[in-house]
Amino acid sequence: MASGTSRDVLGRGLSVLGRAIREQPRIFAVAVSGSVLFGLMVVASAFVVGAVVGDVVVPAVQTGSVAVGALALAAAALLGLSVLRVVGIFGRRLGAGYMQFRLQAAYRRRVTRRYLELPLSWHHRNATGTLLSNANSDVEAAWQPIAPLPFAVGTLVMLVGAVTSLFAVDWALALVGLAVFPALFALNVAYSRRMAPRQARAQRLRAEVSGIAHESFDGALVVKTMGREAQETARFAARAGQLRDALISVGRLRGIFDPMLETLPSLGTLAVLVVGAYRLRQGAIEVSELVSVAFLFTVLAFPVRAIGWVLAELPRSVAGWDRIRRVLDATGEMPYGDIRPDPAVATPATLTFTDVGFAYEPAEAHLPGAEVLGEVSFTVPAGKTVALVGPTGAGKSTVTALAVRLVDPRSGTVSIDGVDVRDLAADVLAGTAALVAQVPFVFDDTVRANVSLDRPGVDDEAVWAALRLAEADGFVAALPDGLDTMVGERGTSLSGGQRQRLTLARALAGRPRLLVLDDATSAVDPRVEAAILAGLRSSAGGGPGASILVVAYRRATIALADEVIYLEQGRVVARGTHSTLLATVPGYADLVTAYEQAEVDHDRQRTYDEVTPMTSGLEVDR
C-alpha cells in the first residue's frame, strides 16, 4: 500500500494511536498524568530558577551577603519540584512501557489466532516468512509510537503552559516562542512526509528477508543435496543488501533532520536572550523574568522532541498496521456449527462424500481456480477400511483434507454419521476424525508431549497404548530417556519411519472414530505397515475401533482394504475389491503393477546398500 501524502500518513497514524488509547485507556491516563505532572513542574522550575537568580543570586552579588532563609526556601522549592518531576517521569515511563508491551502481546495473539482461523487456501497464498514478520516486526512497528506518545501529550500541555507564561511575562518574548514552536512542527511534518515511503519499503523488505531465510532453512535438505548453498546465500544476501540500503536511507534522513530539530530550540534560546536583553534595557522585564524564559526554552528543547519522535515513528507505524490489518481483515474463515452428537456413541464413524467438487484458490485472486475434484461420491462404512488409489494429481490428498475439514468443498457435502462436517462443533470434529499426513510433522519437544499434546485424559498409559498400536513402542523404549527424550526440531533425531509412527500414535492417542491416513506409513517396512493396519481395524487407540480411509500405494496395503476407490483426474473411475479392480480396470492394474515394481526396485537397492561396503549413507527404517 502506498504511503500517500504526509497528511494521509498523519491521519492514519493518529487513527492507529486512537485505537491504542481506546484499548488501553486507564494505562494511557496514568502515563499522560505522569507526563503532564512532569511538564508542569518543568514550567514551574523555570520560574523558580528565575526567582532564585533575581531575588537571591543578584542581591547576593550586589551586597556581598547571602540571605540564608531565602536560599533555603529556594533549595526546598527546587528539591520539591525535582521530586515531583521524578514521580512524573516514573509514571510516564512505566505507563507507556506497560501500554506498549500489552498492545504488542495482545496483537501478536490476535494475529496468531487469526492465522489458525483462516483456511489453508489463504495460507497457501501467503509466504511463511511474511506471516512471521506480521506477527513480529509488524506488530512492534505498529505500536512503536506508544512509547513517546504520553510524553508528547504531556509536552503539548507543557507548551500551552509555557506560551501562556511567556505572554504573562512579555509579549515580545512570547512572539519568539510562537515563531519557534510552529517551525518545529513544520519541520517534523516535512520529516514525516519524506520518511513515510522509506519506512514502508523497509518494513516490506523485512518481511521478504524473513521469508527467504525461512524458506532456505526449511528447505535445507534440498539446498544441500542440490548443491545450491552459494545460490541461496547470494539470494539472501541480495535481499538483505536491499534492506540494508533501505535502512541506511532511513538513517540518512534522520541524520539530516535530527540536527535541525536539535538546533531550532537552541536558536530560540539565543533569540530569547537577544530580544530579552533589549527588553531588559528598556525596563520592560526584570532579570528574573529573562532568566525564567531563557531557562524555559532550554529545558523545552528535549520534551518538544517527544512530539518529533511520535511523528517520526508514524510512517513505520502505519506501514506495520496496514500489514497487520491485512491479516485481521482477511476473509475466508471456516465457521463451525454447534451440533454435538450423543457423547455416549463410541462406535466407528461413517464417512460419506456426496457429489463433492473442489478447486484450490489460485495464488492471484482474480484468476479462476483449477478443478481438482468433480462429483466425487463414496462411503467409508463404520468399522471398514477404504483405500484411495490413483495416479499423482488424481486428488487423493484433497479428499483426505476434505474428510477432516481442512478445506470445504465447492459443491456437494462431506458428512460424518449423516451430519455435514460444517455443522459439527470444532471440538467434536477434532475428537471424531484424525488425519495422519503424508509428511509427518514432529514438534521440538519430548516424545510424550508429541503424542499427548497435553490433551485431557491422555496419560502415560494412553501414550504407550497408542505407541504399541503404531508399532512405535519398541524404538521409543530404546531411546535414552524413553518418553522424556527430546526429538529435535521436526524430529531430526528420528528416522523417517519413526517420525511417521510417532505422528500416527499422536492421532491414535485421541481415540478417533475415523482415521484418515494420507500415505502415512510409506517410510516403514511393509511387515510393520501390515501389523499397524491390522491393529487399527480392531482397536484404534484402545477404543472400539475406527473406520479407516487410507491413501495407499503398496499392493499389500491395498489388499487389506474392504473396498478400493480408484481416482483419475479428480473423478471416481471405479470401486470394488482389490482383486476385482485388478481384473477389470486396466488403468488400475497398470498403476498397482508400476507401484509394486518400484517397491521391488527400492528393496533391491536397499539390499545392495546393506551388503556393499561403500553404502549410500541413507538411513533405512525398519
Side-chain angles (χ1 to χ4, degrees):
M1 182 178 294
S3 58
T5 65
S6 59
R7 182 176 299 177
D8 180 45
V9 172
L10 180 61
R12 290 193 289 142
L14 293 178
S15 175
V16 175
L17 297 182
R19 176 184 291 270
I21 295 171
R22 290 192 299 272
E23 293 195 16
Q24 303 289 336
R26 294 182 180 179
I27 301 175
F28 181 72
V30 171
V32 170
S33 297
S35 181
V36 170
L37 177 61
F38 170 81
L40 294 178
M41 292 306 101
V42 167
V43 176
S45 297
F47 288 92
V48 170
V49 169
V52 169
V53 172
D55 299 336
V56 178
V57 176
V58 172
V61 172
Q62 292 173 345
T63 63
S65 63
V66 178
V68 178
L71 185 61
L73 182 62
L78 289 173
L79 179 61
L81 291 173
S82 298
V83 170
L84 291 176
R85 286 174 64 179
V86 169
V87 172
I89 292 172
F90 179 78
R92 168 176 58 80
R93 290 191 174 180
L94 181 63
Y98 197 63
M99 181 179 177
Q100 181 183 28
F101 297 140
R102 277 177 64 94
L103 284 168
Q104 289 177 352
Y107 273 85
R108 284 194 177 97
R109 289 193 295 267
R110 292 184 192 182
V111 169
T112 303
R113 188 182 304 117
R114 190 63 181 151
Y115 286 160
L116 299 177
E117 292 171 351
L118 289 166
L120 287 180
S121 57
W122 185 87
H123 287 270
H124 292 159
R125 298 194 304 271
N126 294 272
T128 303
T130 299
L131 303 186
L132 292 173
S133 179
N134 291 153
N136 186 26
S137 64
D138 290 335
V139 169
E140 289 185 358
W143 305 121
Q144 194 66 33
I146 297 302
L149 179 61
F151 198 7
V153 174
T155 297
L156 291 176
V157 175
M158 183 171 59
L159 288 177
V160 172
V163 172
T164 303
S165 301
L166 288 175
F167 273 104
V169 171
D170 183 65
W171 65 267
L173 296 179
L175 290 179
V176 174
L178 290 179
V180 171
F181 296 145
L184 279 172
F185 282 110
L187 187 60
N188 275 298
V189 169
Y191 173 65
S192 297
R193 181 177 184 179
R194 288 162 177 77
M195 181 62 76
R198 290 172 170 82
Q199 289 284 21
R201 182 169 184 269
Q203 204 63 19
R204 175 177 56 80
L205 287 170
R206 282 188 178 95
E208 293 180 7
V209 168
S210 177
I212 293 175
H214 179 272
E215 190 175 56
S216 297
F217 301 153
D218 205 36
L221 179 63
V222 176
V223 172
K224 295 189 72 64
T225 56
M226 296 297 178
R228 303 292 296 175
E229 294 95 333
Q231 289 79 1
E232 283 300 302
T233 301
R235 185 164 74 105
F236 180 82
R239 198 54 52 87
Q242 293 177 9
L243 176 59
R244 175 204 61 208
D245 295 341
L247 293 176
I248 288 175
S249 176
V250 169
R252 185 181 295 115
L253 189 62
R254 280 183 173 169
I256 294 172
F257 275 87
D258 278 358
M260 297 170 65
L261 292 171
E262 290 283 357
T263 302
L264 266 180
S266 300
L267 292 176
T269 303
L270 181 60
V272 163
L273 291 174
V274 172
V275 175
Y278 176 75
R279 297 290 290 171
L280 184 63
R281 268 199 314 271
Q282 289 182 328
I285 61 174
E286 298 179 358
V287 173
S288 60
E289 293 173 327
L290 176 59
V291 171
S292 296
V293 173
F295 181 82
L296 188 60
F297 265 80
T298 302
V299 296
L300 278 178
F302 176 73
V304 167
R305 289 300 312 280
I307 300 173
W309 295 333
V310 173
L311 295 176
E313 292 294 343
L314 282 186
R316 188 182 174 205
S317 174
V318 169
W321 175 249
D322 286 343
R323 294 170 63 83
I324 294 172
R325 192 177 60 184
R326 185 184 65 86
V327 176
L328 298 179
D329 294 345
T331 59
E333 67 271 18
M334 299 167 60
Y336 288 87
D338 54 7
I339 294 180
R340 295 178 175 276
D342 185 356
V345 176
T347 58
T350 298
L351 173 69
T352 305
F353 275 57
T354 305
D355 297 328
V356 171
F358 182 80
Y360 283 104
E361 295 184 27
E364 299 182 28
H366 64 279
L367 297 177
E371 184 181 70
V372 178
L373 299 177
E375 298 182 354
V376 171
S377 298
F378 67 88
T379 298
V380 179
K384 300 297 183 180
T385 299
V386 173
L388 280 177
V389 181
T392 301
K396 303 183 295 296
S397 292
T398 302
V399 169
T400 63
L402 287 162
V404 295
R405 209 194 168 204
L406 292 180
V407 293
D408 280 337
R410 183 187 60 188
S411 59
T413 59
V414 178
S415 60
I416 294 179
D417 292 335
V419 180
D420 193 319
V421 293
R422 289 170 288 199
D423 296 329
L424 289 172
D427 58 332
V428 171
L429 180 58
T432 300
L435 169 68
V436 185
Q438 184 176 12
V439 179
F441 180 84
V442 179
F443 295 97
D444 185 8
D445 209 329
T446 64
V447 172
R448 176 187 290 104
N450 268 284
V451 176
S452 69
L453 296 181
D454 292 327
R455 288 172 286 185
V458 184
D459 53 15
D460 282 4
E461 182 179 351
V463 169
W464 280 114
L467 290 170
R468 281 192 296 272
L469 195 57
E471 297 287 328
D473 56 322
F475 83 78
V476 170
L479 293 174
D481 297 314
L483 292 179
D484 293 315
T485 302
M486 296 293 295
V487 298
E489 185 178 5
R490 293 182 178 270
T492 53
S493 65
L494 304 176
S495 69
Q498 289 173 337
R499 288 194 294 271
Q500 281 193 334
R501 283 182 277 173
L502 197 62
T503 54
L504 178 58
R506 175 195 299 158
L508 296 174
R511 300 188 177 184
R513 298 167 51 225
L514 170 66
L515 189 63
V516 181
L517 307 176
D518 186 4
D519 193 26
T521 54
S522 60
V524 301
D525 187 281
R527 292 170 298 169
V528 175
E529 181 187 38
I532 292 173
L533 292 177
L536 294 180
R537 288 167 62 92
S538 59
S539 57
S547 308
I548 301 173
L549 176 65
V550 54
V551 174
Y553 294 91
R554 292 172 174 168
R555 183 189 291 260
T557 306
I558 298 171
L560 292 173
D562 298 293
E563 184 180 28
V564 178
I565 306 295
Y566 180 54
L567 294 176
E568 279 188 0
Q569 298 181 351
R571 300 289 195 278
V572 176
V573 176
R575 57 195 306 164
T577 63
H578 169 62
S579 57
T580 300
L581 296 185
L582 200 61
T584 59
V585 182
Y588 175 82
D590 293 341
L591 184 66
V592 172
T593 301
Y595 286 151
E596 189 173 26
Q597 184 60 48
E599 187 67 27
V600 170
D601 293 340
H602 175 73
D603 289 342
R604 286 177 179 173
Q605 182 62 45
R606 182 171 59 188
T607 302
Y608 174 79
D609 292 339
E610 290 174 349
V611 300
T612 303
M614 297 296 292
T615 64
S616 65
L618 297 176
E619 183 177 9
V620 178
D621 182 68
R622 300 186 183 285

